Amino acid sequence: MYSPPPDPADQQRMRRAFARSAETLGATVTGPEVWGWHGRTLSARAQYPDLRACWLRLLSAPEDKAAGKIWEGNREAAALFDGRIRKPLLYDTTQSSSDGYAYRAELHQYIAEPVFSAGPVLRTDPNPPAKWWESLCTDLEYVSGIPTDRVAVRQEWVDRTVPRFLHMPGPRITDWKTAHGDLHTANLTSLTPYLLDWEGFGLAPAAYDAAMLLAYSLLVPAFAHRVRDAFPVLKTESGRVAQVIVITELLQSASRGDHLELVPGLRTLASELS
């Protein structure tokens, strides 16, 4: 869970659009508001006729940027994966615009299970059972085999950015797989697990999801060790490439002020990989 946008005008703009979207979809908001990263999304539990408890999520962007991978991600993921893996079903969507902003509202299945962490960085060891890991590995294996023209990681970005942050040539990606694209413990529920938030899915280097889960877990060595055990691909050359790319992504994010506490562990891991 993140904080509301710092500008009160943005907060009110999002709340008005959220209320309009709920009315359009015929949903009644029943839970507290939950803000996403940098106030880009606003969500809450809701009731929907014949569907019981749901999760209403509003995505906002300037009108000239309301397109592309993130904007269409959850809808396209629903078409490929709903009913096939453990993810919330997408029931309905609506789109609108006002005052130079576009809004996309999505009505998802409500998952009552808690997530493992409030934010991407894991801070305590949840110690899930073996069947949790088995379920996660099975679903990610299924996802990896589904063709898509969406791209989560671009070789051009790797070539440009890895040298900047790790002072080494960007590795060549030769093994591409479909990935969730944002796998961390805030997007995994604690019992089943359900995989949440599919807006960034697409083609990425093999082992990308495992590398992402590992990188966000570095503050909890016991859990990070279990990630390595669950995903032996991390020990291969493909796994090394994926980790280098994920480390670069998170160091770039840290350069903008995000999750600075991960930087020492990321640097240590990068040294081990090189």
Side-chain angles (χ1 to χ4, degrees):
M1 184 184 300
Y2 295 89
S3 301
D7 187 345
D10 281 332
Q11 296 179 32
Q12 294 307 311
R13 173 180 60 79
M14 288 286 287
R15 289 177 176 128
R16 288 194 300 269
F18 190 82
R20 290 196 304 269
S21 298
E23 183 177 4
T24 299
L25 291 168
T28 302
V29 177
T30 59
E33 64 183 28
V34 177
W35 290 94
W37 184 71
H38 289 192
R40 191 170 54 86
T41 65
L42 177 58
S43 305
R45 185 175 178 175
Q47 294 293 126
Y48 187 75
D50 302 325
L51 295 177
R52 302 180 184 175
C54 300
W55 187 252
L56 179 59
R57 178 180 184 271
L58 180 75
L59 171 65
S60 171
E63 282 189 277
D64 61 346
K65 297 181 180 179
K69 183 183 77 170
I70 299 299
W71 194 254
E72 299 290 343
N74 280 319
R75 181 185 62 81
E76 295 181 359
L80 290 176
F81 305 122
D82 274 13
R84 298 173 179 87
I85 62 170
R86 297 159 185 84
K87 71 174 289 294
L89 302 176
L90 178 62
Y91 292 137
D92 203 357
T93 65
T94 186
Q95 193 162 315
S96 61
S97 59
S98 177
D99 301 324
Y101 284 87
Y103 302 95
R104 186 179 188 89
E106 302 164 343
L107 202 61
H108 295 269
Q109 177 188 7
Y110 178 76
I111 304 301
E113 299 178 17
V115 294
F116 273 138
S117 57
V121 179
L122 185 66
R123 301 180 185 280
T124 59
D125 186 3
N127 195 21
K131 65 179 182 180
W132 186 94
W133 289 103
E134 292 168 4
S135 175
L136 177 61
C137 291
T138 297
D139 282 350
L140 291 178
E141 181 66 22
Y142 179 86
V143 169
S144 72
I146 300 301
T148 181
D149 58 1
R150 290 170 54 88
V151 179
V153 177
R154 296 188 180 277
Q155 183 68 57
E156 296 83 359
W157 178 91
V158 173
D159 295 341
R160 182 176 65 252
T161 313
V162 170
R164 176 185 169 196
F165 286 94
L166 293 183
H167 308 293
M168 58 184 286
R172 179 62 48 179
I173 305 169
T174 59
D175 189 6
W176 294 87
K177 301 289 186 181
T178 301
H180 173 277
D182 194 21
L183 194 71
H184 49 67
T185 49
N187 282 336
L188 292 167
T189 65
S190 60
L191 300 178
T192 301
Y194 283 91
L195 282 74
L196 312 179
D197 193 2
W198 286 80
E199 65 181 13
F201 90 93
L203 290 174
Y208 181 81
D209 282 335
M212 184 72 73
L213 184 60
L214 174 66
Y216 273 121
S217 305
L218 290 176
L219 299 185
V220 185
F223 188 87
H225 178 76
R226 287 193 289 276
V227 173
R228 291 185 171 99
D229 284 346
F231 298 99
V233 67
L234 289 171
K235 300 179 177 69
T236 68
E237 177 59 18
S238 292
R240 187 192 75 84
V241 168
Q243 289 177 77
V244 167
I245 290 170
V246 166
I247 289 167
T248 302
E249 288 185 332
L250 296 189
L251 288 175
Q252 183 182 55
S253 182
S255 73
R256 300 165 181 157
D258 295 324
H259 312 310
L260 297 176
E261 66 274 31
L262 285 177
V263 170
L266 293 171
R267 291 290 185 191
T268 297
L269 180 56
S271 297
E272 294 170 357
L273 294 170
S274 63

